[in-house]
Amino acid sequence: MDYSDLKAMAKEIERHLEERPLLGIVLGSGLSYLKDYLVEDDRIDFHNIQGHPLCTNKSHKGCYRLGTTHGIPSIVVDGRLHFYEGYSARECTIPERILQILGVKFLILTNAVGGVTSGPGTVLVTKDQIACLVPSPLYGENIEELGPRFPDMSEVYDPALSKTILEKAKAEHLSCKEGVFMQFPGPQFETKAEVEMAKRLGADSVGMSTGIEAIASRHGGIRNIGLSLVTNWACGIKEGKITDEEVLVVAKSSERTMRRVFEIALEAIENDQ
Ligand code: HPA
C-alpha cells in the first residue's frame, strides 16, 4: 500500500463528491443512528473501491456516505476496520488516509467503550489516549506526502474543540466527562487484571479501535474529536460478564445523551471555522 494506491482509492470517492469535504465521522458499534445527521447525497461501498479492506463484522456496513452535516460537507465512514479482524494497523487506517487526501480537516471518532472510572450511559470526550499495546499505523516506510516520520502526539485530540464540547455538555447537565482512552487489540474483552492495569496507567475507558485511527489522522494534520459512549463497566470493575449484546442495548438506550453531545460537537466545529 503506497501513496498512489491511497490516491487511487480517494479518487474513486472524489468522482461522487460535489464539494471538498471538511468533516469526517467514524461510526462506532451500535452508534449508526449518528448517520441521521448527514443529509446523504451518495454512498460508495468499500467493495466497490479497488484494494479497499472489507468489514468482516456483521454490525459494520462498510461504506462511505457523502453529504452535508449541519451544512458542513462531510463523509461518514460507516464501517470501521479493526486490528482484530486481521488487518495491519496501517490497513485499519486507510479510511482516515482517504479522508485526509480528500481534504478533511476535522474528524469525529465515535466508539462504544468499557468504563473504567465511569459507568454505562456516560459519554466521554477523549482527552488523551494510550495506544501503545497495538502496533502503530505509522510502522514501516513513512509516506512523506501524508506526514512526518516522527509526528508530535501532544494533541492527538483537539484541546480547544474538546473543551468547548465539555463546557457546553456540562452546562446542559448531560452525563458527559473527559477521559483517557486505552486501546486494546481485542477481539476478546479485557481480563480483570488488564483492566486493573489500564486503571493504574490512568485510563478512564477501554476499547478495541480508535487509537490507531486517531494517530494516523493526527499524523495527517487532522483535528480529532473523540466521543466514547460507555456501554458497560470494564471487566472486574463490577460483578458480571460482558456481552456484545449488552454493548448494543446500552448504545441504543443512551441514544439521547450521545446524540446531544454529538450535536454539540458539530456546533463546535461549525463555530471554529
Ligand atoms: N472492552 C473493550 N471494548 C469494548 C468494551 C469493553 O469493555 N465495551 C464496548 N467495547
Side-chain angles (χ1 to χ4, degrees), residues 133 182 184 189-201 206 234-237:
L133 280 189
M182 182 161 181
F184 279 79
F189 287 112
E190 302 72 28
T191 64
K192 291 177 194 167
E194 285 162 349
V195 170
E196 178 61 28
M197 172 189 74
K199 189 173 176 181
R200 290 191 201 189
L201 291 178
V206 290
C235 181
I237 302 281

Side-chain angles (χ1 to χ4, degrees), residues 112-115 188-190 206-208 229 231-235 242 247:
V113 296
Q188 72 284 2
F189 287 112
E190 302 72 28
V206 290
M208 304 176 196
L229 176 65
T231 52
N232 55 280
W233 282 106
C235 181
I242 304 165
V247 168

Side-chain angles (χ1 to χ4, degrees), residues 55-62 79 82 84-85 244-245 248:
C55 291
T56 63
N57 229 327
K58 274 200 274 353
S59 60
H60 292 258
K61 276 214 163 53
H82 298 85
Y84 64 71
E85 292 178 84
D244 192 27
E245 291 79 48
L248 297 179

Side-chain angles (χ1 to χ4, degrees), residues 16 28 40 63 74 78 86 102 132 160 219 249:
H16 298 257
E40 190 173 313
C63 70
S74 310
D78 189 355
L102 291 172
C132 50
H219 175 244
V249 167

Side-chain angles (χ1 to χ4, degrees), residues 1 11 22 50 73 75 83 101 108 111 115 120 125 137-138 140 150 159 180 247 251-252 255 260 262-263:
M1 184 70 48
K11 205 148 197 99
L22 193 65
Q50 175 141 30
I75 299 187
F83 185 68
I101 292 169
I108 306 181
N111 60 7
V125 179
L138 311 180
F150 301 109
V180 173
V247 168
K252 184 76 193 147
E255 185 173 335
R260 186 59 201 134
F262 186 77
E263 286 164 13

